[in-house]
Amino acid sequence: MESQSAIDLAEYMNGSIRNIMATAYKNVLSNPREAKFAFKMQRLFEKSEKRRKKMAESEGLDVPPFLISSISTTCNLHCKGCYARSNGIAEDNEADRKATLTPEQWRRIFEESAEMGINFSLLAGGEPMMRKDILEQVAEVKDMIFPIFTNGTLIGPSYLEFLRKNLNMVPIISLEGTAIGTDERRGQGVFKRAMQSMEMLKSENLFFGTSITVTTENMQLVTSADFINQLRGYGCKIVFYIEYVPTEPGTEHLAFSDAHVAQMEQLLEERRTAYQDIIFLSFPGDEKALGGCLASGRGFFHIGPDGSAEPCPFSPFSDSNVVELGVRQALKSPLFKKIRAARALGWEHTGGCTLFEHREEIEQMMNK
C-alpha cells in the first residue's frame, strides 16, 4: 500500500460509488426494468469493493474503481479545443490514426478489469458511437457499467434498440451549455441534434446523462437552476462537469483556479441538495482535498486506442500496454509509480489538469 492517505482515498471513492448507485436506484424505482438492474449492480459493486480491498491487502496493489478508455480514433465533429485531436487520438486521415484494438481485445481487457473489481469504464474517443462493433462486444461484460461519452448525433433507432438490450451502456451526451455555446464549439445544429437524442432516450425510459465542459466563463450558467431544470425536463439523470483543460494556446484564462474549484464544489453541494433526482459529478474536482491528482492508477488510468496504459487522457505517455501485460501489470507501470512518487512531493498547477501542465516533467521521466 502507498500510504495511509491512499486508504482514505479508497474509502472516499468507495463511498462515492455507493452513493451514486443508491441515488441511481432511487431515481429509477418507477421503471421496474431499470430498478432491477440498478439493484443488481448495487449488490455486485459491494462485492467489487471487497475484491479491491482484498487485492490491496494481499498484493499491495491499489486497484482503481474506474478506467477511462478511448476506443475510437475517428469523430464526425471537429470541436474547438478537442483534447483527442490535440493528443493525436482522433484523426481524419486514416494513415495518421493510431492502431486500434479489436472488439475482442477490448472485451478481454474489461473482463479482466471486472474480475479485479473495477466497476466502470468511461468510453471516449474520438466518437465512441462510431465503433458500434466495439460497443457490442464490451456490452457483454455485464459486471461493469460503461458511460459512453458521445456527442449524441448518432443516436437513432438502431442505437436505441442496442441501449434497451444493454442497460450497462449509459449514454452521456456532451454539451457546452446552451445552443449558442454548444454550436459555437461543436458545429451548427449540434445542440438541437443532442436535444433530439435526449428526447428519444427519455421516450424509451432509458437512463442517460450529460457531460459539460465547464470554464470560468460558463460556470454560473451551467450550474444555474434554469439550466438544470431544462436538463431535468429532457430526462437527464447524471450531470458530469468536466473542467476545461487549455489544450489551445490563448485559452488558459478559461481553466479553473483553486478558487474556482472551491466555488464549483460549493455550487454542486447546493445542487445535490436541491435536485436529489440527479447525480452531479465533477472531474477532476477538488484534487487537493483528495491528496492530489487521481490519475496514474491512483483513482483511474487511461487506456489508449492501441491499448497503451497512460496516466490520463491529457497525458498521453506510456511504458506499458494492457494487451501485452494485462490490466494488473499495467497498474504496476514504472511511469505510474514515478508520477505518484512525484505527486507525493506536491505538484503545483494553475488550473485544469495537473499532468497536462507538467507534461515536460513526465516526458523526462519517460526518457530516464
Side-chain angles (χ1 to χ4, degrees):
M1 297 289 287
E2 288 179 15
S3 65
Q4 182 64 37
S5 64
I7 298 174
D8 295 338
L9 175 63
E11 290 301 322
Y12 172 85
M13 297 191 78
N14 289 334
S16 297
I17 290 174
R18 289 193 295 269
N19 290 337
I20 289 169
M21 292 309 300
T23 303
Y25 177 60
K26 182 174 65 176
N27 292 346
V28 295
L29 281 175
S30 60
N31 183 337
R33 189 161 170 264
E34 291 272 11
K36 181 179 179 181
F37 171 76
F39 182 78
K40 174 188 171 185
M41 297 311 286
Q42 275 186 306
R43 304 285 80 79
L44 175 67
F45 288 177
E46 288 173 3
K47 294 179 181 178
S48 295
E49 183 180 330
K50 293 176 181 177
R51 196 171 300 161
R52 293 194 299 272
K53 286 181 178 179
K54 184 176 180 180
M55 291 186 71
E57 293 166 357
S58 62
E59 300 181 33
L61 183 64
D62 291 311
V63 179
F66 76 96
L67 303 171
I68 301 176
S69 306
S70 294
I71 65 171
S72 172
T73 57
T74 60
C75 187
N76 60 328
L77 299 182
H78 288 77
C79 305
K80 294 179 181 179
C82 174
Y83 80 86
R85 290 192 183 276
S86 67
N87 287 346
I89 293 176
E91 296 283 356
D92 291 330
N93 188 347
E94 188 171 353
D96 296 332
R97 292 174 193 159
K98 291 183 177 180
T100 308
L101 301 183
T102 67
E104 292 74 20
Q105 286 174 317
W106 278 114
R107 178 173 176 170
R108 287 195 290 272
I109 288 168
F110 294 134
E111 286 173 341
E112 181 191 358
S113 300
E115 289 173 3
M116 294 171 62
I118 297 174
N119 297 137
F120 303 89
S121 181
L122 283 59
L123 301 182
E127 170 51 55
M129 284 195 167
M130 293 188 76
R131 293 302 309 267
K132 194 177 181 187
D133 56 336
I134 294 176
L135 295 179
E136 287 174 338
Q137 278 291 315
V138 304
E140 295 303 315
V141 185
K142 300 300 184 184
D143 289 354
M144 289 181 69
I145 291 178
F146 298 95
I148 308 169
F149 281 70
T150 173
N151 57 46
T153 62
L154 301 179
I155 295 175
S158 175
Y159 259 117
L160 289 174
E161 181 181 1
F162 169 75
L163 295 168
R164 281 196 300 268
K165 291 180 179 177
N166 299 284
L167 298 182
N168 60 331
M169 311 299 284
V170 181
I172 306 295
I173 298 176
S174 298
L175 300 173
E176 308 305 323
T178 62
I180 294 173
T182 300
D183 287 1
E184 195 276 332
R185 186 181 183 204
R186 296 179 175 271
Q188 192 64 36
V190 172
F191 181 84
K192 181 179 179 181
R193 185 66 188 85
M195 294 300 100
Q196 289 171 342
S197 293
M198 287 190 181
E199 289 175 339
M200 287 188 285
L201 292 166
K202 182 181 179 181
S203 70
E204 296 291 336
N205 287 320
L206 289 167
F207 194 88
F208 71 93
T210 186
S211 167
I212 300 163
T213 303
V214 60
T215 70
T216 54
E217 292 183 350
N218 73 356
M219 178 175 67
Q220 294 296 334
L221 169 66
V222 298
T223 58
S224 69
D226 286 345
F227 182 72
I228 294 170
N229 287 336
Q230 182 184 12
L231 294 177
R232 179 198 248 170
Y234 279 105
C236 184
K237 297 293 186 183
I238 312 174
V239 180
F240 283 86
Y241 289 107
I242 311 296
E243 294 173 24
Y244 178 73
V245 175
T247 57
E248 279 191 1
T251 63
E252 291 80 5
H253 66 286
L254 298 175
F256 276 14
S257 65
D258 287 346
H260 289 113
V261 171
Q263 186 180 2
M264 186 71 182
E265 289 300 309
Q266 179 59 40
L267 283 168
L268 290 186
E269 282 305 310
E270 294 172 4
R271 297 298 174 254
R272 289 179 184 121
T273 301
Y275 297 89
Q276 297 189 18
D277 56 342
I278 298 176
I279 298 168
F280 293 95
L281 301 171
S282 62
F283 184 82
D286 192 351
E287 292 181 332
K288 287 192 174 181
L290 299 176
C293 176
L294 297 180
S296 308
R298 186 166 176 260
F300 71 93
F301 72 92
H302 176 244
I303 303 176
D306 59 353
S308 55
E310 301 171 350
C312 86
F314 298 106
S315 185
F317 301 99
S318 178
D319 61 0
S320 306
N321 189 288
V322 293
V323 174
E324 299 167 2
L325 299 177
V327 177
R328 185 187 302 251
Q329 285 302 118
L331 280 169
K332 300 176 183 178
S333 151
L335 177 62
F336 287 3
K337 289 181 179 179
K338 289 176 184 177
I339 292 173
R340 291 197 295 265
R343 186 168 50 253
L345 300 175
W347 275 0
E348 293 296 325
H349 68 296
T350 56
C353 171
T354 306
L355 299 186
F356 181 80
E357 195 162 316
H358 289 268
R359 53 196 178 279
E360 291 182 2
E361 289 98 316
I362 297 172
E363 194 164 9
Q364 290 171 4
M365 291 178 186
M366 282 285 297
N367 295 330
K368 286 183 178 179

